[in-house]
């Protein structure tokens, strides 16, 4: 008695310690669901019927599932029947420990079959625990009725579900997605029966709104003709919101085992489906490539003429709008096209790989749509794009210079014409003919002062002519009006020189008539005129417009302005001296009682004019200071923008270069399985994509620089164009590297290459180098004929190098197992019952609707398919 108790205690302890390892999530028995009375009722009935279907082979059965297994005898008998093996001899006693011993023998046998029980002990079965007993029976059903089911690389529950889906796919109103509500209307069960035994059920007469009738029909037919006992009640299934999954699975598994003999036809149909699905997918990829290539080439064709247009605008705003349009093209329109080009290359490589792996002919795009054609068109686009940007920047600088010169020309012309106004009439006067001696002398002195003023204005005329010449050289749009105005000023200036000389000659002829002159008036005029001219020049300089592009240039202007301010004290002394002459004149007149006319005969300048202009000069000086300081602030802001852009560019540029080099090393040095390599590369790609925010921030700084008309940056060698091109190349490189691994996965899965083989291939490949040289293949000791044959396989384009992908294809080509035309013909022959043709009805019955319709040619004979010709056409072979 102590030995039995010790054994039971050990069994219970072992199960509790290993509880977390016993079952995978899909096989774990959910005991909480048994608290639902409806589900417990369904399980009790189904499991009892399933046990009796096996126990009757031994001439016995059970009535109450929780009572009849308590002594362990029928439980051991059930396991012997379903396993075909003998269990240890049961204990014959009727005491509790005898029962526990028998149940333990049954549980030990279950565990020996690889089943991990979860907290199910012999004491609970002996005590008639319904929940534990049902759980134990469900574990037995899983192991002996469901676990060994295998359909298309899936097993157990998933395999059984896939089998049901394949068998019921052609039937209307049937959509099997699970083992509970998908079976409530009974149509799925009727479809399974009809698929294998269409003579037993007329499926066309079944109605979806009669679930009880459909279920009872299936139960009765299965029990009568298929030897599958009735395990469920139609009313329980229909009236339960979610029927018990375990009960449904148990019952459906009986159908699977009953119809297992039909698996050969199903395997043949699956092979045909697989071949047709590959062909359909390849054709879809070809259509997508043609469409994407056409759209990309059409976009390039329309974009290049826009970029080649070099028609210059006459105004800065229009050219800035063109620059803004170009920036929108770079930021908005071009990036999606870059992605399309990369995706196009990836799709092309993937398609060629799939065609090669499935023994299909290589895909040849339409004329002009090869990857090389698209690459050439893209190269032409980028060349035109670069020239267009350089032209835009040059034109903007030219227009900026032209606007400045035109405004300066207008200002100087206005000042000059204001000065010359009335001078020709004055020089043409003959007032000296009726003047007195004093007046003549005054006129003479006045004329000398005018000549001095005229000479001082010679520089301004030369400046006007020089500005006009530069405007013509820069192709100013309104050059004709500039030339007209400049020519008028030059002609007037020549005329003024002629008239001045004539008047001097006339005055000199009568100079001897003059004997007395007021020296003070003359001295005032001589000193006032140049001082006045200096003030005119000072006012002109203080109001002169300026344009600078750096802090050094503005500081140069500030230095010049400071030098000018340093001359103001000396100029004030000159003003005081000039004004002192006028004071002396007044003093003499008052002293000697001379009546002054109030007008200086030698000049039109009055002391008040000198005073007013002096006040104007003093007023303009602080205004000039303010303008220069504002420009200093603007240039300092521009310098900060340059440094801000350079700081980021000097980080991002090397980062992109580093990542490009890392990708090159990763593609060669990365270890692990292809899936691990793929995950590593995708994570690497995600890290690169996450860096995009830094590129966007740099774009923002570049935008600010462009808006501030900053076109140079001495703090960095990187331009935004360098960064953009590097970023695009980085994205393209990582995408191509990922695509290379994807193609290796396709090759591995299609050829059945193990991970160890791939590692050996990689090690051998790396031994020669990342790309194997032809002469290294030759030195392997191959003959010339064999060497030539190998090279046609691994280097079909005669590039002189062998890639890792070509190396894998070469190493696996001889032993690879792929579907051939003969295998497809043999599969069709099975479905056609050895006929040389297969009917349309047979196709639609054995294949899914999409693949069946794909096989049926509208030009072929009605009601049948020549599958021999069809199989040959799939693989590009001639019909023999």
């Amino acid at each position: 008695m102590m030995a039995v108790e010790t054994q039971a205690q050990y069994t219970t302890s072992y199960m509790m310690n290993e509880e977390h390892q016993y079952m995978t999530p899909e096989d774990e028995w959910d005991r909480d669901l048994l608290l639902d009375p409806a589900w417990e009722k369904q399980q009790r009935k189904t499991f009892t019927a399933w046990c009796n279907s096996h126990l009757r082979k031994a001439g016995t059965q059970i009535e109450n599932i929780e009572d009849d297994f308590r002594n362990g005898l029928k439980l051991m008998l059930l396991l012997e029947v379903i396993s075909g093996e003998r269990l240890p001899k049961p204990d014959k006693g009727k005491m509790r420990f005898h029962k526990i011993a028998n149940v333990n023998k049954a549980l030990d046998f279950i565990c020996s079959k690889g089943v991990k029980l979860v907290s199910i002990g012999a004491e609970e079965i002996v005590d008639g625990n319904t929940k534990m007993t049902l759980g134990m029976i469900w574990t037995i059903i899983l192991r002996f009725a469901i676990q060994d089911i295998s359909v298309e690389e899936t097993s157990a529950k998933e395999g059984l579900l896939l089998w049901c889906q394949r068998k019921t796919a052609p039937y209307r109103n049937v959509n099997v997605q699970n083992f509970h509500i998908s079976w409530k209307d009974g149509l799925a069960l009727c479809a399974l029966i009809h698929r294998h035994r269409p003579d037993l059920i007329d499926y066309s007469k079944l109605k979806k709104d009669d679930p009880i009738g459909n279920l009872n029909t299936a139960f009765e037919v299965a029990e009568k003709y298929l030897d599958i006992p009735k395990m469920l009640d139609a009313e329980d299934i229909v009236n339960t919101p979610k029927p018990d999954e375990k009960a449904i699975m148990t019952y459906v598994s009986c159908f699977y085992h009953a119809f297992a003999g039909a698996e050969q036809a199903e395997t043949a149909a699956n092979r045909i489906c697989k071949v047709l699905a590959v062909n359909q997918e390849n054709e879809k990829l070809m259509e997508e490539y043609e469409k994407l290539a056409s759209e990309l080439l059409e976009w390039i064709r329309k974009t290049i003429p826009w970029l080649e247009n070099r028609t210059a605008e006459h105004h800065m705003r229009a050219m800035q709008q063109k620059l803004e349009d170009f920036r929108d093209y770079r930021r908005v329109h071009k990036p999606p096209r870059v992605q399309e080009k990369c995706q196009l290359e990836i799709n092309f490589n993937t398609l060629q790989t799939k065609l090669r792996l499935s023994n299909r002919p290589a895909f040849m795009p339409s004329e002009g749509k090869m990857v090389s054609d698209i690459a050439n068109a893209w190269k032409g686009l980028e060349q035109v794009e670069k020239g267009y940007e350089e032209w835009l920047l040059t034109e903007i600088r030219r227009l900026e210079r032209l606007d400045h010169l035109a405004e300066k020309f207008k200002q100087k012309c206005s000042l000059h014409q204001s000065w010359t106004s009335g001078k020709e009439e004055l020089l043409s006067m003959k007032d000296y003919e009726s003047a007195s001696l004093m007046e003549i002398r005054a006129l003479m002195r006045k004329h000398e002062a005018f000549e001095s003023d005229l000479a001082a204005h010679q520089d301004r005329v030369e400046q006007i002519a020089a500005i006009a010449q530069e405007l013509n050289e820069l192709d100013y749009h309104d050059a004709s009006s500039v030339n007209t105005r400049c020519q008028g000023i030059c002609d007037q200036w020549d005329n003024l020189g002629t008239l001045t000389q004539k008047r001097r000659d006339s005055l000199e002829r009568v100079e001897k008539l003059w004997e007395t002159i007021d020296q003070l008036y003359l001295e005032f005029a001589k000193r006032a005129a140049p001082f006045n001219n200096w003030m005119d020049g000072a006012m002109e300089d203080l109001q002169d417009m300026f344009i600078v592009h750096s802090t050094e240039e503005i500081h140069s202007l500030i230095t010049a302005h400071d030098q000018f301010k340093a001359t103001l004290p000396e100029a004030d002394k000159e003003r005081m001296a000039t004004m002192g002459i006028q004071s002396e004149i007044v003093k003499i007149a008052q002293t000697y009682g001379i009546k002054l006319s109030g007008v200086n005969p030698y000049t039109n300048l009055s002391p008040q004019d000198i005073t007013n202009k002096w006040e104007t000069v003093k007023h303009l000086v602080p205004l000039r200071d303010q303008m220069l300081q504002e420009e200093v602030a603007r240039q300092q802001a521009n310098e900060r923008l340059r440094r801000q852009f350079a700081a980021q560019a000097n980080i991002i540029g090397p980062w992109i270069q580093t990542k490009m080099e890392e990708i090159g090393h990763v593609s060669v040095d990365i270890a692990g399985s292809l899936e691990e390599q793929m995950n590593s590369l995708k994570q690497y790609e995600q890290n690169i994509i996450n860096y995009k925010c830094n590129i966007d921030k740099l774009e923002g700084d570049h935008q600010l620089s462009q808006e501030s008309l900053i076109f140079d940056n001495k703090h960095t060698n990187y331009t935004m164009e360098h960064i953009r091109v590097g970023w695009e190349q980085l994205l393209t490189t990582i995408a191509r590297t990922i695509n290379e691994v994807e193609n290796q996965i396709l090759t591995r899965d299609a050829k059945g290459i193990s991970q160890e083989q791939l590692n050996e291939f990689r090690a051998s490949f790396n031994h020669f180098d990342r790309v194997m040289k032809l002469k290294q293949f030759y030195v392997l000791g191959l003959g010339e004929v064999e060497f030539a044959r190998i090279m046609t396989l691994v280097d079909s384009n005669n590039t002189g190098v062998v890639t890792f992908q070509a190396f894998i294809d070469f190493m696996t080509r001889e032993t690879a197992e792929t579907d051939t035309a003969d295998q497809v013909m043999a599969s069709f022959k099975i479905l056609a019952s050895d006929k040389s043709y297969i009917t349309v009805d047979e196709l639609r019955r054995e294949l899914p609707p999409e693949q069946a319709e794909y096989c049926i040619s509208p030009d072929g004979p009605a009601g049948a398919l020549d599958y021999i010709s069809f199989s040959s056409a799939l693989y590009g072979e001639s019909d023999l």
Side-chain angles (χ1 to χ4, degrees):
M1 185 67 180
M2 289 297 293
V4 173
E5 291 177 352
T6 301
Q7 180 182 5
Q9 183 178 3
Y10 168 78
T11 303
T12 304
S13 174
Y14 172 81
M15 294 177 179
M16 291 177 65
N17 290 336
E18 296 296 321
E19 181 178 354
H20 63 287
Q21 302 175 358
Y22 285 160
M23 290 188 179
T24 57
E26 62 264 31
D27 294 334
E28 188 173 7
W29 174 46
D30 191 351
R31 294 163 185 74
D32 294 335
L33 297 178
L34 291 177
L35 298 175
D36 187 339
W39 285 28
E40 182 176 338
K41 177 182 178 183
Q42 292 176 20
Q43 287 189 12
R44 188 194 305 270
K45 179 176 178 62
T46 303
F47 292 176
T48 299
W50 183 84
C51 292
N52 285 334
S53 69
H54 293 284
L55 288 173
R56 67 186 180 186
K57 299 174 184 177
T60 185
Q61 65 178 11
I62 60 173
E63 297 295 333
N64 191 311
I65 195 168
E66 61 264 37
D67 293 331
D68 293 348
F69 286 135
R70 291 177 65 180
N71 59 7
L73 297 177
K74 288 188 176 181
L75 178 59
M76 295 176 68
L77 181 60
L78 173 65
L79 291 172
E80 287 183 345
V81 171
I82 62 178
S83 67
E85 299 179 24
R86 296 290 296 177
L87 271 71
K89 185 177 180 180
D91 293 356
K92 296 301 184 178
K94 295 184 179 181
M95 298 185 68
R96 176 180 174 82
F97 72 89
H98 292 124
K99 297 178 181 180
I100 291 175
N102 290 334
V103 173
N104 272 328
K105 291 177 182 179
L107 295 179
D108 291 340
F109 178 80
I110 295 173
C111 291
S112 70
K113 297 301 179 181
V115 178
K116 299 179 181 179
L117 300 174
V118 181
S119 300
I120 299 177
E123 293 86 354
E124 295 168 319
I125 305 301
V126 172
D127 294 337
N129 187 316
T130 302
K131 180 168 60 175
M132 294 302 173
T133 303
L134 292 176
M136 178 190 66
I137 298 302
W138 170 242
T139 301
I140 294 172
I141 293 172
L142 277 178
R143 172 59 184 85
F144 295 99
I146 297 177
Q147 178 175 310
D148 294 332
I149 296 175
S150 177
V151 178
E152 294 185 11
E153 300 181 358
T154 61
S155 60
K157 176 182 177 181
E158 289 77 14
L160 181 60
L161 181 62
L162 181 59
W163 179 79
C164 295
Q165 291 172 339
R166 291 284 186 269
K167 294 301 182 181
T168 60
Y171 292 85
R172 58 181 175 83
N173 297 326
V174 177
N175 182 19
V176 177
Q177 297 296 327
N178 48 58
F179 286 108
H180 37 80
I181 60 175
S182 296
W183 305 84
K184 289 187 65 174
D185 58 8
L187 292 177
L189 287 172
C190 292
L192 282 177
I193 297 172
H194 184 267
R195 178 63 182 269
H196 297 89
R197 293 290 303 276
D199 57 310
L200 298 181
I201 292 180
D202 188 354
Y203 187 86
S204 61
K205 294 183 179 181
L206 300 176
K207 297 180 180 179
K208 186 175 179 62
D209 56 0
D210 184 21
I212 293 179
N214 297 337
L215 289 167
N216 284 328
T217 298
F219 296 159
E220 292 169 3
V221 169
E223 186 173 28
K224 183 176 180 180
Y225 298 101
L226 303 177
D227 198 26
I228 298 175
K230 183 178 180 181
M231 302 180 182
L232 303 167
D233 286 331
E235 291 78 10
D236 292 341
I237 295 176
V238 173
N239 296 329
T240 303
K242 181 180 179 183
D244 180 65
E245 185 181 57
K246 298 176 179 62
I248 298 293
M249 283 179 63
T250 302
Y251 188 64
V252 172
S253 68
C254 296
F255 285 86
Y256 174 86
H257 293 293
F259 297 136
E263 287 304 312
Q264 183 182 14
E266 180 180 356
T267 301
N270 289 338
R271 170 169 287 176
I272 294 173
C273 291
K274 178 182 177 182
V275 171
L276 296 179
V278 169
N279 239 47
Q280 289 174 304
E281 182 181 0
N282 291 340
E283 290 176 359
K284 182 179 179 182
L285 288 174
M286 293 176 189
E287 294 173 358
E288 290 177 351
Y289 176 88
E290 290 285 338
K291 178 182 177 183
L292 192 59
S294 299
E295 292 176 352
L296 183 58
L297 289 171
E298 180 64 15
W299 177 81
I300 294 175
R301 185 186 65 80
K302 292 181 178 179
T303 303
I304 287 179
W306 173 67
L307 294 173
E308 290 177 338
N309 183 11
R310 298 293 193 273
T311 303
E313 301 292 342
H314 297 319
H315 301 287
M316 177 68 76
R317 181 173 297 178
M319 288 304 297
Q320 287 176 338
Q321 182 59 47
K322 280 194 172 185
L323 181 61
E324 186 62 31
D325 293 341
F326 183 73
R327 290 174 185 152
D328 288 341
Y329 158 79
R330 280 278 184 80
R331 291 192 305 264
V332 179
H333 302 293
K334 185 181 178 183
R337 299 298 179 178
V338 173
Q339 295 296 324
E340 289 180 7
K341 176 176 175 291
C342 178
Q343 188 61 45
L344 193 67
E345 295 174 355
I346 292 174
N347 290 350
F348 182 84
N349 293 334
T350 301
L351 175 59
Q352 297 294 42
T353 299
K354 289 185 176 181
L355 289 173
R356 183 174 63 255
L357 294 177
S358 58
N359 287 337
R360 271 37 168 211
F363 169 59
M364 290 297 294
S366 302
E367 184 177 357
K369 297 180 182 177
M370 294 290 291
V371 173
S372 58
D373 297 329
I374 295 171
N376 291 334
W378 189 266
K379 182 178 180 181
L381 174 70
E382 291 186 331
Q383 290 176 346
V384 174
E385 176 183 315
K386 181 179 180 181
Y388 186 75
E389 182 179 27
E390 294 173 351
W391 173 77
L392 279 176
L393 297 178
T394 302
E395 279 298 306
I396 288 176
R397 294 189 186 100
R398 185 182 70 84
L399 288 177
E400 183 183 29
R401 176 65 177 166
L402 284 174
D403 289 347
H404 171 69
L405 290 175
E407 189 62 30
K408 190 172 184 178
F409 177 84
K410 292 177 183 178
Q411 184 184 33
K412 288 187 176 294
C413 287
S414 299
L415 289 173
H416 176 77
Q417 289 173 337
S418 175
W419 179 82
T420 59
S421 178
K423 294 294 188 296
E424 292 173 292
E425 291 79 6
L426 181 63
L427 293 173
S428 300
M429 290 177 61
K430 297 184 178 182
D431 50 346
Y432 53 84
E433 294 180 350
S434 58
S436 63
L437 180 61
M438 293 295 294
E439 291 173 342
I440 290 299
R441 289 181 175 176
L443 290 175
M444 186 61 187
R445 301 301 180 268
K446 184 177 180 180
H447 187 70
E448 290 175 353
F450 172 77
E451 285 181 327
S452 177
D453 199 10
L454 183 67
H457 281 78
Q458 177 67 31
D459 290 339
R460 182 180 294 164
V461 175
E462 292 174 356
Q463 291 174 6
I464 290 173
I467 293 173
Q469 181 180 356
E470 188 172 358
L471 287 172
N472 279 275
E473 290 173 354
L474 293 176
D475 195 20
Y476 183 56
H477 70 277
D478 197 15
S480 60
S481 63
V482 170
N483 293 335
T484 300
R485 191 171 186 181
C486 181
Q487 188 61 45
I489 289 173
C490 291
D491 292 342
Q492 184 189 40
W493 186 256
D494 293 338
N495 189 40
L496 282 174
T498 303
L499 292 175
T500 301
Q501 186 60 41
K502 285 182 178 181
R503 185 169 179 83
R504 167 171 281 281
D505 293 341
S506 299
L507 290 174
E508 286 179 348
R509 286 195 306 267
V510 296
E511 185 178 8
K512 293 181 180 180
L513 301 174
W514 303 100
E515 297 177 350
T516 306
I517 189 68
D518 191 341
Q519 192 64 30
L520 291 175
Y521 270 128
L522 180 59
E523 185 179 355
F524 177 86
K526 288 185 176 181
R527 298 193 70 166
F531 184 73
N532 178 69
N533 187 60
W534 177 86
M535 289 192 296
D536 287 342
M539 288 188 294
E540 180 179 343
D541 292 338
L542 290 172
Q543 298 178 80
D544 187 26
M545 297 178 63
F546 57 85
I547 179 171
V548 295
H549 296 93
S550 66
T551 55
E552 291 80 5
E553 293 178 7
I554 188 60
H555 284 310
S556 176
L557 290 178
I558 292 175
T559 301
H561 184 61
D562 291 340
Q563 292 173 353
F564 168 78
K565 289 192 293 183
T567 65
L568 289 179
E570 189 67 28
D572 191 44
K573 291 180 181 180
E574 179 65 18
R575 181 187 66 83
M576 295 298 295
T578 303
M579 296 303 292
I581 295 173
Q582 180 63 29
S583 299
E584 185 66 19
I585 292 172
V586 174
K587 181 179 179 181
I588 292 173
Q590 292 176 350
T591 302
Y592 297 101
I594 298 173
K595 186 177 181 180
L596 299 176
S597 63
V599 178
N600 192 324
Y602 304 115
T603 181
N604 290 327
L605 290 172
S606 67
Q608 188 61 43
D609 293 334
I610 299 299
T611 300
N612 291 341
K613 287 189 177 182
W614 179 253
E615 293 300 323
T616 300
V617 169
K618 291 196 297 182
H619 176 70
L620 290 175
V621 168
L623 293 179
R624 184 71 169 184
D625 284 332
Q626 181 181 354
M627 290 175 60
L628 291 173
Q629 291 304 318
E630 289 175 353
E631 184 62 25
V632 168
R634 190 176 77 87
Q635 289 302 324
Q636 289 174 346
N638 288 352
E639 183 66 13
R640 286 193 296 272
L641 285 177
R642 289 188 182 98
R643 292 181 181 276
Q644 181 175 334
F645 177 88
Q648 294 186 73
N650 289 335
I651 294 174
I652 293 175
W655 182 89
I656 291 176
Q657 182 63 33
T658 300
K659 291 303 176 184
M660 290 289 290
E661 296 173 358
E662 289 178 359
I663 291 172
H665 292 305
V666 166
S667 63
V668 174
D669 301 334
I670 192 169
S673 66
L674 290 177
E675 285 75 9
E676 292 173 347
Q677 295 180 33
M678 176 65 67
N679 293 334
S680 177
L681 287 172
K682 286 187 179 295
Q683 183 177 1
Y684 205 88
E685 180 184 40
Q686 187 59 45
N687 292 337
I688 292 174
I689 293 174
N690 292 340
Y691 199 77
K692 181 65 165 59
C693 60
N694 297 308
I695 304 297
D696 294 339
K697 185 176 185 300
L698 188 63
E699 284 281 8
D701 292 342
H702 178 66
Q703 174 73 11
L704 293 176
S705 298
Q706 295 289 301
E707 291 172 354
S708 300
L709 300 180
I710 300 173
F711 303 110
D712 59 296
N713 194 334
K714 65 182 180 181
H715 304 294
T716 181
N717 293 326
Y718 293 99
T719 65
M720 197 62 232
E721 176 61 20
H722 292 150
I723 299 300
R724 291 192 192 104
V725 171
W727 180 252
E728 292 169 0
Q729 290 177 348
L730 181 61
L731 293 178
T732 301
T733 301
I734 189 63
R736 286 174 177 166
T737 304
I738 291 174
N739 178 247
E740 179 182 349
V741 177
E742 289 174 343
N743 288 338
Q744 293 176 22
I745 292 175
L746 286 174
T747 302
R748 182 201 65 189
D749 294 342
K751 304 293 186 176
I753 304 172
S754 67
Q755 185 61 45
E756 290 74 13
Q757 288 176 308
L758 278 176
N759 293 338
E760 291 177 2
F761 291 162
R762 171 62 75 178
S764 299
F765 184 76
N766 289 340
H767 175 73
F768 290 105
D769 200 347
R770 189 169 184 265
V771 178
M772 298 179 67
K773 304 298 185 293
L774 292 178
K775 64 180 182 180
Q776 292 174 330
F777 250 77
Y778 191 79
V779 299
L780 293 176
L782 302 175
E784 292 186 2
V785 176
E786 179 64 12
F787 175 75
R789 183 187 73 83
I790 293 175
M791 292 315 301
T792 60
L793 297 176
V794 299
D795 186 23
S796 58
N797 294 327
N798 198 23
T799 61
V801 295
V802 180
T803 65
F804 182 58
Q805 183 63 38
F807 179 71
I808 293 177
D809 290 343
F810 166 73
M811 296 296 289
T812 59
R813 187 180 298 273
E814 301 297 330
T815 60
E817 290 188 7
T818 57
D819 292 316
T820 65
D822 291 338
Q823 289 176 323
V824 176
M825 290 180 197
S827 299
F828 270 116
K829 188 174 182 180
I830 293 174
L831 298 184
S833 302
D834 293 334
K835 299 192 298 293
S836 62
Y837 62 89
I838 185 169
T839 65
V840 172
D841 291 338
E842 289 173 332
L843 282 171
R844 288 175 174 161
R845 184 177 70 247
E846 299 297 340
L847 302 180
E850 184 178 0
Q851 277 76 20
E853 296 301 324
Y854 180 77
C855 294
I856 300 171
S857 171
D859 299 329
L865 170 69
D866 180 2
Y867 59 78
I868 297 176
S869 299
F870 179 76
S871 301
S872 299
L874 282 177
Y875 288 87
E877 300 176 357
S878 61
D879 186 1
L880 301 179

